Amino acid sequence: MRGALMYELVHAGTDALIGEIIGLAKDVATIQVYEDTTGIAPGEPVERTGAPLSVELGPGLLGTVYDGIQRPLEVIRNEMGDFIIRGASLPALDREKKYAFTPVAEPDEKAVPGTVIGTVSEGRFVHRILVPHGIEGAFTSVAGTGKYSITDEIAGVLTAGGNEVPVTMIRRWPVRVARPFAEKLKPEDPLITGQRIIDSFFPIVKGGTAAVPGPFGAGKTVVQHQLAKWSDADIIVYVGCGERGNELADVLRQFPALTDPRSGTPLMDRTVLIGNTSNMPVAAREASVYTGITIAEYYRDMGYDVALMADSTSRWAEAMREISGRLEEMPGEHGYPAYLASRLAGFYERAGKVRVRGPSGSKGSVSVIGAVSPPGGDFSEPVTQNTLRVVRVFWALDADLAHARHFPAINWLSSYSLYPDDVQEWWRDHVGEEWSAMRRTMLTILQKESELEEIVHLVGQDVLPEDDKLSLHVAEIIRESFLIQSAFDSVDTFCPPEKQYHMMRLITDYAGYGKEAIGKGKSVADIASLPVANRLARLGSVANDTFTEYFEETEREMASAFGQNTGGRT
Amino acid sequence: MTSPAREYTSVVRVSGPLMVVSGVGDAAYGEVVEVRLPDGEKRLGQVLESRTDIAVIQVFGGTQDLDTDITSVRFTGEPLRMVVSPEILGRIFDGSAAPADGGGAVIPGKIMDISGSPINPTARAFPEDCIETGISAIDGMNTLVRGQKLPIFSGAGLPHSSLAAQIARQARVLRDHEEFAIVFGAMGITNEEARFFLNEFEETGALGHAVVFINRADDPAIERIITPRLALTAAEYLAFDLGMHVLVILQDITAYCEALREVSAARDEVPARRGYPGYMYTDLASIFERAGRIHGRNGSITQLPIISMPDDDITHPVPDLTGYITEGQIVLSRDLHRKGIYPPIDVLPSLSRLMSGGIGEGKTREDHGGVSDQLYAAYAKGRRLESLVTVIGEEGLSESDRRYLEFAARFETTFTGQGAAGGRTVDETLDAAWDLLRLFPAEDLNRIDTALIEKYLRRESP
Ligand SMILES: Nc1ncnc2c1ncn2[C@@H]1O[C@H](COP(=O)(O)OP(=O)(O)O)[C@@H](O)[C@H]1O
Ligand SMILES: [Mg+2]
């Protein structure tokens, strides 16, 4: 195969299976095939396409389910039946569908990459059609308002070189290449997820990166699903990479039926699903995360905040390992190829908040949340370790918590986020002054609890002084009523930031009152037996639209129970 | 695969479960071969690797007695396929689907590729019909639903076989009461275990609606690579062609994985953990993901694979990768078994990921989710206190803590340890749970809705 290019797409064998060149040596090319290769024999033809593995970008991505190389799974099902038969070659975007186009640019105007040519609406979203990469010049024509398919010409550009280039609404982009932007910006707005332990303790930002490692059954997928459902990104790209078919079926069952609390439209309308399940071809699994992030960048470039979930990046890494093994490359740690670390870093590097290219100067972001599935739950393995080197938030899932059905099973002692300082201003401006202080107070109490527990394990609780007992008591309230948050509770599945803040306030006030009471000679047993302690137990399930009332009443009751008549902290 | 059959005698190497044939320019990956031994015996094999000059073949019947002179290999031009028809019900086959019950060959209804094809994820119907197994630790806290893959993690000498047989015997879909067809795929099980299952199926009359594939411990190890695929092909036929609800029991996945490891080692592949190949996750997924339901089709495949954990180690690659693929796991505990508790299910590491969709009002009972969470929380706390007590003694405990200790003990003996005879309905299981929860003051029951506590706590069990 002399003349073939590295990463070029090919059609392999008599069934024309899609593959990619991943190794070249003289005139022999090594091809990874994105489909089951059963039945292929030496001597069968290989046809080059001249182009690298690319995705189609344009209106029609939202609400769609693709496999790892962007073949539309619903269309495939309609054409080929319930089981996936190989050799399917179907376009990712509908060529027939007409979109109502509204021009923005005008003839003779300057056209540079990122210039908005016009818009179409994709559900509730304004889908901006931009001048593609590599084209610079002036518009010779821009289509008028009207209905166009994605392959219709909507503009013409006369380039500096004197070529007249027709422009349609469809773009192709090689998945392994990050899409360009003007400038990386410092992210500072939290990505609000409605999950208390995340937003209030270990926040992620719009444009940030997070990893969720944990043994099987600890809650990685539920965390990812919760974020896909409730986080306040505009667009969600969910990559089911080498995981269960039923988990995608679950998304497909729930998302169209659930409404986005912010827009009131079905969650599916803002979601692109990439599903390459564990029993689908491994090479396409390897490609799936790139397919996903390229689509995410495409919407970022229109000025949207996009969040991408990849469940699980370990399966992606294993796909790399499998392919590397077949290439007989020198294996590194645990058999992974030596380039594992750089591939992981390269992937997470594509996250970020940016100023997009072009005259609009818009800002957009891609947040990336990757699940990690360490063998045996051992975080010292290469994928977890190399991921931790590049991400800024670490939600460590803990088997013991999961076994006790403490969900989300995010361990509050070993998890961290590097963003709290960046987001405190947001909390101050949008919710309340004391977020940072209360957060620190609560984390300190939990830290204290773990230290005290070591003593309790040796000598029992009786010997502890009352204020230490109070720490244990409050820590239990923090765990039981603040940190535990069931994804299956119709109310508590999403906790708005204001409610989180108010819950923190009730708990920290309780701790403060308790401390005073102890100073006045009360015992923890006295405090714990106050009826108001019970009121703190079920704060999460108080309805999201009426919690203020209930919480304020609780606050008043607390004040009077502790013998004071002023609300608030002392 | 369309090439015609070709025959060669150019075996150049036999090593472990593999043989290499030279001069075959056009062997197709995955093509089935028929190996004829010097004494005329025929064995099944499959192409693992094909180059312009050689083909590497794994021989399912094992390579003993093969030679490089006379042994001949016929390339069939076909993938591995299997003949199915409604007649397979009631039949017993060996690990390569040859009749093992003295009956004749199956009259072809349909010929199916045993590797199957992945179900298009968009075609999957989410499983949500609760199966009542009669076992409280499962029904109450790790509910099985139709179309789920829920393995039993066990260890040598633990009663996983009785448990699997009991589930096969008792399993009913709530409100539907339709019986399951049973497909049993055995890989490397002892003669005694095989006899146990066959007797069980015969005595309960299950055999009439069962299909059995048995590869015994003394049968060729490499055959174990195809046995589960045969079983699942039969299951897919029954479920998706004939519309039956099928319960597939696969025992023992660990023996299957050892066969995979043997082939991988013979090919000098770089192993992942403990010698198992790096692609074992993908390979196991190609088995486990064949469970499920499909929109617009009546049948379903529910899988109950049995995994024996070497050294009772749940982090061993076989249970570990399994747990990452299956929709939960039922974990048997040697400690509970020693205490004489049957079934010795340790609920803490056990999980049914599909439980939440299969329970609750209109499905089982409104209090089901809360009760389960509360049992988990209380039992986990009780168990933590048990280990504490061994250090500081019971005197150091508060009155409340002592209740949790007592709860944990009673939970094991009465709730989990319900005994081998018969089963409980889901209602009976939940009532038994409330009997235990009555140990606690209502304020302690913070995982259950207050209205439900009101309703159930004071109600005496019937
Ligand atoms: N936030 C949560 N609320 C309620 N249940 C949860 C939550 N997170 C996890 N679970 C429970 O744990 C099970 C396993 O979670 P999952 O996310 O599938 O684990 P993983 O992906 O780590 O294997 C779920 O099926 C569910 O029962
Ligand atoms: Mg998961």
Side-chain angles (χ1 to χ4, degrees):
Chain A
M1 292 214 21
R2 203 158 280 231
L5 307 172
M6 194 68 175
Y7 298 122
E8 182 177 350
L9 209 66
V10 299
H11 294 289
T14 38
D15 287 343
L17 306 182
I18 301 173
E20 183 185 18
I21 296 180
I22 54 166
L24 283 171
K26 284 229 169 110
D27 53 357
V28 174
T30 306
I31 296 165
Q32 66 172 349
V33 179
Y34 291 119
E35 302 192 65
D36 175 18
T37 51
T38 304
I40 294 199
E44 290 190 28
V46 174
E47 191 193 311
R48 293 177 45 197
T49 66
L53 177 67
S54 302
V55 285
E56 283 188 1
L57 302 168
L61 292 164
L62 295 180
T64 312
V65 191
Y66 293 111
D67 76 356
I69 53 170
Q70 210 203 10
R71 286 181 298 190
L73 285 169
E74 273 154 327
V75 182
I76 288 185
R77 179 175 173 224
N78 290 338
E79 308 240 318
M80 307 179 109
D82 295 335
F83 293 88
I84 296 178
I85 319 280
R86 61 191 191 162
S89 161
L90 293 160
L93 294 174
D94 190 341
R95 300 290 193 271
E96 311 295 320
K97 188 165 176 186
K98 303 259 186 196
Y99 292 89
F101 175 79
T102 312
V104 172
E106 286 178 15
D108 299 332
E109 222 176 80
K110 213 174 140 200
V112 297
T115 305
V116 181
I117 304 171
T119 63
V120 299
S121 50
E122 194 180 5
R124 70 184 160 93
F125 293 96
V126 176
H127 191 116
R128 297 182 184 90
I129 310 293
L130 310 177
V131 171
H133 183 68
I135 293 184
E136 226 170 304
F139 288 106
T140 52
S141 66
V142 175
T145 304
K147 295 206 140 199
Y148 302 90
S149 75
I150 54 170
T151 50
D152 290 337
E153 181 176 332
I154 45 135
V157 174
L158 183 67
T159 64
N163 295 326
E164 165 100 43
V165 188
V167 180
T168 66
M169 290 195 258
I170 191 170
R171 308 280 176 267
R172 299 192 64 79
W173 190 265
V175 295
R176 295 180 199 280
V177 179
R179 287 172 61 83
F181 47 83
E183 178 192 7
K184 264 216 170 160
L185 304 171
K186 182 172 157 56
E188 51 204 1
D189 288 340
L191 179 75
I192 293 295
T193 67
Q195 313 303 303
R196 287 186 289 272
I197 188 163
I198 293 179
D199 295 345
S200 293
F201 280 9
F202 310 111
I204 174 173
V205 292
K206 293 195 173 83
T209 51
V212 203
F216 61 82
K220 300 178 291 296
T221 302
V222 174
V223 166
Q224 298 272 41
H225 281 194
Q226 288 296 92
L227 264 57
K229 283 176 187 166
W230 308 124
S231 67
D232 67 345
D234 299 309
I235 309 271
I236 300 292
V237 178
Y238 191 95
V239 187
C241 173
E243 293 283 309
R244 301 175 182 84
N246 276 331
E247 290 174 347
L248 287 176
D250 196 16
V251 173
L252 288 174
R253 170 184 73 133
Q254 292 192 43
F255 279 39
L258 288 171
T259 14
D260 176 355
R262 293 167 198 91
S263 70
T265 55
L267 282 176
M268 196 64 205
D269 294 0
R270 67 165 191 174
T271 307
V272 184
L273 264 181
I274 315 287
N276 212 93
T277 55
S278 56
N279 56 339
M280 286 160 76
V282 169
R285 184 194 302 170
E286 194 274 329
S288 65
V289 297
Y290 293 109
T291 297
I293 198 137
T294 307
I295 293 172
E297 288 171 339
Y298 175 68
Y299 282 98
R300 172 203 70 190
D301 291 347
M302 289 176 221
Y304 288 115
D305 291 315
V306 187
L308 176 139
M309 290 90 204
D311 185 13
S312 160
T313 59
S314 293
R315 306 302 164 218
W316 165 46
E318 285 163 12
M320 259 186 254
R321 177 171 69 184
E322 235 175 286
I323 294 158
S324 163
R326 304 250 184 257
L327 285 173
E328 297 182 1
E329 291 171 342
M330 182 71 136
E333 233 186 320
H334 291 224
Y336 286 105
Y339 46 78
L340 172 73
S342 62
R343 292 277 168 91
L344 284 169
F347 171 66
Y348 282 103
E349 191 54 31
R350 290 174 74 170
K353 177 173 172 177
V354 305
R355 193 164 56 73
V356 306
R357 296 210 298 176
S360 76
S362 313
K363 293 169 186 169
S365 68
V366 173
S367 314
V368 174
I369 299 108
V372 184
S373 316
D378 175 3
F379 288 179
S380 68
E381 59 90 37
V383 182
T384 313
Q385 285 306 313
N386 284 307
T387 302
L388 287 186
R389 250 181 248 155
V390 291
V391 299
R392 301 179 60 82
V393 181
F394 172 55
W395 298 315
L397 297 182
D398 181 313
D400 286 338
L401 291 174
H403 291 172
R405 294 326 189 240
H406 172 118
F407 287 121
I410 297 174
N411 184 306
W412 49 90
L413 299 172
S414 47
S415 299
Y416 62 77
S417 161
L418 301 180
Y419 296 121
D421 292 346
D422 301 328
V423 302
Q424 60 179 346
E425 202 166 318
W426 182 93
W427 281 90
R428 199 162 52 227
D429 295 349
H430 293 82
V431 187
E433 291 286 330
E434 288 166 77
W435 179 77
S436 271
M438 295 192 299
R439 174 178 179 273
R440 258 193 314 270
T441 305
M442 290 169 81
L443 283 170
T444 309
I445 292 173
L446 290 169
Q447 180 65 43
K448 181 89 193 167
E449 179 191 38
S450 91
E451 289 160 18
L452 291 173
E453 238 154 31
E454 289 179 18
I455 304 175
V456 170
H457 270 134
L458 293 175
V459 292
Q461 198 174 321
D462 275 354
V463 298
L464 295 180
E466 287 300 305
D467 59 342
D468 282 348
K469 283 189 197 159
L470 179 71
S471 292
L472 291 178
H473 172 59
V474 176
E476 185 175 355
I477 292 178
I478 296 175
R479 285 187 283 105
E480 292 284 324
S481 63
F482 188 78
L483 296 184
I484 290 183
Q485 186 179 3
S486 171
F488 304 131
D489 185 294
S490 58
V491 172
D492 209 20
T493 184
F494 171 75
C495 188
E498 297 74 20
K499 186 173 166 189
Q500 299 187 27
Y501 186 84
H502 214 143
M503 287 172 77
M504 292 169 87
R505 147 150 261 157
L506 285 173
I507 294 170
T508 48
D509 279 356
Y510 180 79
Y513 285 135
K515 201 165 175 186
E516 276 178 28
I518 281 172
K520 292 182 193 147
K522 289 265 191 295
S523 75
V524 172
D526 298 336
I527 295 168
S529 64
L530 292 173
V532 73
N534 255 330
R535 262 185 98 105
L536 296 181
R538 289 163 202 278
L539 298 176
S541 54
V542 181
N544 287 344
D545 44 3
T546 56
F547 73 86
T548 322
E549 221 173 287
Y550 182 87
F551 285 10
E552 280 171 0
E553 195 188 313
T554 307
E555 188 81 37
R556 281 192 297 274
E557 214 176 284
M558 193 145 66
S560 70
F562 282 98
Q564 315 205 356
N565 39 27
T566 53
R569 309 153 64 70
T570 46
Chain B
M1 235 175 275
T2 47
S3 26
R6 297 133 293 156
E7 185 139 1
Y8 294 85
T9 51
S10 44
V11 176
V12 289
R13 199 155 71 89
V14 180
S15 107
L18 305 181
M19 63 190 272
V20 180
V21 186
S22 74
V24 199
D26 62 349
Y29 173 68
E31 181 174 357
V32 171
V33 304
E34 221 177 69
V35 182
R36 198 197 311 266
L37 272 60
D39 65 358
E41 186 195 330
K42 280 184 193 165
R43 286 185 197 157
L44 201 61
Q46 188 178 26
V47 176
L48 277 186
E49 191 177 323
S50 172
R51 299 180 180 251
T52 44
D53 48 344
I54 55 153
V56 179
I57 290 160
Q58 61 178 341
V59 185
F60 296 124
T63 49
Q64 70 280 15
D65 303 331
L66 262 64
D67 74 341
T68 51
D69 287 340
I70 311 171
T71 298
S72 72
V73 184
R74 196 172 142 266
F75 290 77
T76 62
E78 308 280 354
L80 259 176
R81 296 197 291 189
M82 167 187 184
V83 171
V84 288
S85 79
E87 275 184 36
I88 56 175
L89 283 171
R91 297 296 306 271
I92 301 167
F93 302 96
D94 72 7
S96 310
D101 51 5
V106 174
I107 298 179
K110 186 177 178 189
I111 297 177
M112 294 173 77
D113 183 338
I114 71 162
S115 312
S117 297
I119 300 177
N120 187 318
T122 64
R124 282 186 185 270
F126 193 75
E128 50 192 355
D129 304 319
C130 167
I131 297 175
E132 185 179 86
T133 66
I135 294 158
S136 290
I138 297 178
D139 296 353
M141 302 170 73
N142 296 285
T143 315
L144 174 67
V145 300
R146 197 151 66 179
Q148 182 171 14
K149 40 192 181 289
L150 187 64
I152 298 173
F153 284 9
S154 186
L158 295 180
H160 43 262
S161 297
S162 337
L163 181 61
Q166 193 185 356
I167 294 172
R169 191 166 66 231
Q170 295 176 176
R172 298 280 180 280
V173 170
L174 271 192
R175 291 179 231 295
D176 171 329
H177 300 284
E178 193 175 338
E179 259 188 287
F180 284 90
I182 292 167
V183 172
F184 180 61
M187 289 83 73
I189 66 172
T190 61
N191 278 311
E192 196 183 324
E193 281 167 321
R195 216 175 307 117
F196 167 81
F197 275 104
L198 292 175
N199 279 344
E200 166 78 24
F201 291 155
E202 234 158 72
E203 276 168 23
T204 58
L207 199 53
H209 53 98
V211 192
V212 177
F213 298 86
I214 298 188
N215 164 290
R216 288 168 214 262
D218 51 1
D219 286 335
I222 302 307
E223 184 180 79
R224 289 166 203 161
I225 291 176
I226 53 175
T227 310
R229 297 191 161 80
L230 295 167
L232 286 162
T233 304
E236 278 169 1
Y237 172 71
L238 297 174
F240 301 131
D241 283 33
L242 304 187
M244 304 171 91
H245 294 293
V246 186
L247 182 68
V248 182
I249 299 171
L250 297 172
Q251 184 179 2
D252 178 335
I253 294 294
T254 308
Y256 167 82
C257 291
E258 281 158 4
L260 270 191
R261 177 169 64 175
E262 196 177 327
V263 172
S264 174
R267 298 181 71 188
D268 287 328
E269 290 169 338
V270 179
R273 285 171 73 214
R274 303 205 201 173
Y276 290 93
Y279 49 78
M280 196 156 84
Y281 173 85
T282 303
D283 189 279
L284 283 173
S286 76
I287 291 177
F288 296 141
E289 279 288 318
R290 289 173 81 173
R293 288 168 64 214
I294 295 178
H295 284 297
R297 300 196 193 215
N298 271 330
S300 62
I301 296 179
T302 307
Q303 282 189 29
L304 211 60
I306 295 169
I307 281 87
S308 57
M309 300 184 281
D311 268 341
D312 294 347
D313 177 8
I314 198 168
T315 69
H316 180 279
V318 178
D320 190 53
L321 293 178
T322 298
Y324 272 119
I325 302 165
T326 52
E327 282 140 355
Q329 64 280 338
I330 301 296
V331 182
L332 301 191
S333 140
R334 198 165 295 282
D335 278 350
L336 292 178
H337 182 59
R338 274 200 207 104
K339 290 188 195 167
I341 286 165
Y342 180 90
I345 296 174
D346 185 356
V347 294
L348 294 187
S350 297
L351 168 71
S352 163
R353 294 164 189 268
L354 302 185
M355 175 168 178
S356 64
I359 61 165
E361 200 171 352
K363 292 186 168 163
T364 55
R365 219 167 78 178
E366 54 187 346
D367 56 329
H368 198 155
V371 165
S372 172
D373 283 350
Q374 193 72 61
L375 290 175
Y376 267 109
Y379 181 56
K381 184 162 179 184
R383 284 264 293 263
R384 258 200 318 276
L385 289 167
E386 266 172 26
S387 57
L388 186 62
V389 162
T390 55
V391 185
I392 62 166
E394 252 189 74
E395 308 76 55
L397 294 187
S398 67
E399 194 187 330
S400 158
D401 286 349
R402 276 184 219 161
R403 275 198 291 271
Y404 281 91
L405 263 189
E406 185 186 345
F407 169 85
R410 278 173 54 182
F411 174 85
E412 288 173 4
T413 50
T414 66
F415 189 84
T416 305
Q418 65 189 98
R424 295 179 183 144
T425 64
V426 172
D427 270 329
E428 286 167 349
T429 287
L430 293 175
D431 291 340
W434 281 107
D435 283 344
L436 289 171
L437 294 175
R438 279 192 195 96
L439 267 175
F440 301 112
E443 312 85 81
D444 275 23
L445 305 181
N446 60 351
R447 304 287 176 100
I448 308 177
D449 213 63
T450 33
L452 296 173
I453 297 179
E454 207 52 44
K455 179 166 170 189
Y456 289 96
L457 191 63
R458 270 160 267 288
R459 198 175 83 169
E460 286 304 304
S461 64

